[in-house]
Amino acid sequence: MLATPAGPAGLPTGPGWSFEVKWDGFRAMARSERGRLRLDSRSGLELDDRFPALRDLAGVTADGTLLDGEVVALVDGVPSFEAVADTARHARAQLAYVVFDVPVHAGDDVCGAPLEERRDLLAGLDLPGCAIRSQVFADGPALLEVTRERGIEGVVAKRDSSPYRPGARSADWVKLAHRRTRTAVVGGWRPDATSSSRAASLLLGAHDADGSLRFLGRAGSGLSAALATRVAEALSAHPAAAPPFADALPATARKDARWCDPQVVVQVAYRERTTAGVLRHPVVMGLRDDVAADPWELA
């Protein structure tokens, strides 16, 4: 079940709504398969081998329980997407699985039960040390302010009576982030002037409803030396002879660019989109291979 982005009015308020932290990590469903933990991303990618520190969750899911949650890496108590995306940094971060729903409990499908009942079932589970129950708050505006002060991504409002709709985006869950984020494909890149094995900037794109690759802009901020090296390595595996974009690119974007098939997906944060659809002040947060890129039409 996916949350709907909040509109201009912000988060819903009033009776029947409660609020949780919006975590900055990898969304994953946890279940058991042949006695071992199975973590699946939204796109169906198996994540369990990537996060062996979470294997104790198998004891919770062994009876047929299915958990919905987020794999997060806490650095000084604050979720870090860069840390959870970079397996080499897990040793320096506290890896955890934040559980916020239980669509199947002990083999029983409880998707039709109201959220408040599923939360009661979740509260009764004996979770291992690698798992954290998502806390529930009554005051959305206060939680929004606290998350802003602490550098946490945002807040999700949830209707207490809502059923669980697998794979669907529902207005019963509404998310509000302090900064906008999205996934994008890379259609070209510029190597670093001092080392061609590192990317200095990326040309971002998204496919529209017709399947055409549209230009989202160029991003260079956020590319640390380690991330720039990993991105360049990934992009070098998909070279292209010509720009894959349907749009005419500005000369500044084309200069010194290396083209690639739009196979590599990155997560970016940005302030807003222009009327032409270009991202303002995009920052590269990390590589994503667990989800597909967001469509062009996503605001």
Side-chain angles (χ1 to χ4, degrees), residues 159-201:
R159 196 186 302 273
D160 295 328
S161 61
S162 62
Y164 186 95
R165 300 181 174 91
R169 193 172 295 280
S170 173
D172 286 336
W173 290 11
V174 180
K175 61 182 179 181
L176 181 59
H178 298 301
R179 57 179 178 176
R180 298 184 181 185
T181 61
R182 64 170 294 141
T183 50
V185 293
V186 182
W189 60 291
R190 181 178 300 167
D192 190 280
T194 61
S195 173
S196 61
S197 64
R198 293 200 301 264
S201 62

Side-chain angles (χ1 to χ4, degrees), residues 78-158:
V78 176
S80 167
F81 178 81
E82 183 181 1
V84 77
D86 181 1
T87 54
R89 294 186 59 183
H90 286 170
R92 300 194 296 276
Q94 179 190 350
L95 193 69
Y97 183 69
V98 181
V99 194
F100 46 74
D101 215 321
V102 51
V104 179
H105 180 265
D108 294 328
D109 185 334
V110 292
C111 289
L115 173 60
E116 53 193 353
E117 291 186 16
R118 301 196 307 276
R119 282 175 171 157
D120 287 341
L121 293 174
L122 178 58
L125 296 178
D126 184 14
L127 297 179
C130 64
I132 302 171
R133 287 182 188 83
S134 180
Q135 287 186 269
V136 180
F137 300 87
D139 191 334
L143 182 60
L144 195 64
E145 183 59 29
V146 169
T147 54
R148 180 184 292 110
E149 291 175 354
R150 297 186 180 179
I152 298 174
E153 187 178 9
V155 171
V156 181
K158 296 182 179 180

